[in-house]
Amino acid sequence: MKILTPLFTILFATLIAINSFAQSPAASPALATSPAAAVSATGGQPNPQEMMKQMMEMSKLNENHKLLGDMNGNWNYTIKFWMNPDPNAPPQQSKGTATRKSVMGGRYFEMDVSGKMQMPGEDGKMKDIQFKGMAIEGYDNAKKKFVASWIDNMGTGIQSSEGTYDPATKTFTYNMEMEPMPGMKQQVRELLKVTDKDHMMLEWYENRGGQEKKTMEIAYTRAGKK
């Protein structure tokens, strides 16, 4: 049995609700300029035609989806971590690969990441750990924001973030709240600067005691480029 798509499910539920009310003249589609316009002025009842029209509008691709699509492809990356409490200590470094592709007709973008990280083992000594991660990114037309989620094999949570884009600096800015340990909520700001079509730089800032601290940096280079 196929799972109903969210759009079909919403429309189906709306039509059921409409049938439970007495019908009244629908508002003219020419007057519909916002979600509120999908409700007739005379009886406060949903106008299914207008709701369908607005839902279809919300599903359309625009220049924001193209911005994300321009980053599709295969990438090599170098990552730096600043985890040592000593500010003079050099960052940990490792390398890996990332693949970005469009899904759902270009409405979302999936990124698969693979690499190795130096982590302390049970004996306290540092050793290489295979790292796997996956992101889903998109642009939410209703929220008018970029949205993203992230999972990896180093935890069991799902990180969710929302962001904006500055065309002057070609930089995406995402904000999120993390809870790596129970009760230890932390605000994070992530910057992704698209240097050119073959290079990107991600910077990760954590709010610690009211002050931001850069704890991670990832330099991406498109595979086959320098």
Side-chain angles (χ1 to χ4, degrees):
M1 179 178 180
K2 293 184 179 180
I3 299 175
L4 296 177
T5 65
L7 177 60
F8 183 84
T9 303
I10 293 171
L11 291 173
F12 185 68
T14 300
L15 290 174
I16 291 177
I18 291 171
N19 289 332
S20 67
F21 293 97
Q23 296 297 312
S24 65
S28 170
L31 300 177
T33 58
S34 68
V39 178
S40 69
T42 55
Q45 298 167 17
N47 180 331
Q49 292 83 8
E50 198 57 43
M51 287 189 71
M52 169 67 85
K53 178 181 176 181
Q54 292 185 27
M55 287 179 183
M56 295 306 293
E57 282 296 318
M58 288 292 100
S59 72
K60 289 182 178 179
L61 306 184
N62 55 43
E63 67 278 3
N64 295 300
H65 300 94
K66 184 181 184 303
L67 282 173
L68 296 172
D70 287 343
M71 295 185 285
N72 282 354
N74 298 319
W75 299 82
N76 297 317
Y77 70 80
T78 299
I79 185 170
K80 295 180 181 180
F81 289 102
W82 286 269
M83 295 299 181
N84 196 313
D86 180 358
N88 298 316
Q92 293 176 239
Q93 296 190 53
S94 62
K95 297 179 181 294
T97 60
T99 300
R100 295 177 60 97
K101 64 180 182 180
S102 301
V103 295
M104 304 295 175
R107 290 173 176 81
Y108 304 97
F109 302 87
E110 178 183 302
M111 181 170 70
D112 289 302
V113 177
S114 179
K116 289 184 178 180
M117 296 175 59
Q118 282 276 309
M119 298 289 288
E122 294 181 0
D123 57 2
K125 296 181 179 180
M126 301 298 288
K127 63 178 182 179
D128 284 338
I129 301 294
Q130 187 67 34
F131 177 78
K132 294 284 188 182
M134 185 176 74
I136 297 291
E137 301 172 1
Y139 181 80
D140 188 325
N141 288 334
K143 290 184 175 180
K144 299 188 185 305
K145 289 183 178 181
F146 291 91
V147 291
S149 61
W150 172 264
I151 58 174
D152 58 47
N153 63 345
M154 305 297 289
T156 57
I158 300 177
Q159 297 175 13
S160 299
S161 59
E162 295 183 351
T164 58
Y165 177 74
D166 179 9
T169 60
K170 297 183 179 180
T171 301
F172 295 87
T173 300
Y174 287 91
N175 291 282
M176 71 191 78
E177 182 178 77
M178 297 176 56
E179 191 171 6
M181 296 290 179
M184 294 178 60
K185 293 184 178 181
Q186 190 170 56
Q187 302 298 319
V188 173
R189 184 169 64 98
E190 177 186 295
L191 302 179
L192 179 62
K193 180 177 177 59
V194 182
T195 310
D196 56 46
K197 64 183 182 65
D198 297 322
H199 300 88
M200 303 186 294
M201 176 65 74
L202 183 146
E203 295 180 345
W204 179 277
Y205 296 88
E206 297 179 10
N207 191 312
R208 296 183 176 181
Q211 292 186 335
E212 276 196 337
K213 179 179 175 62
K214 182 179 178 179
T215 59
M216 184 172 64
E217 177 183 284
I218 309 176
Y220 294 92
T221 300
R222 197 177 291 276
K225 303 293 182 178
K226 293 183 179 181

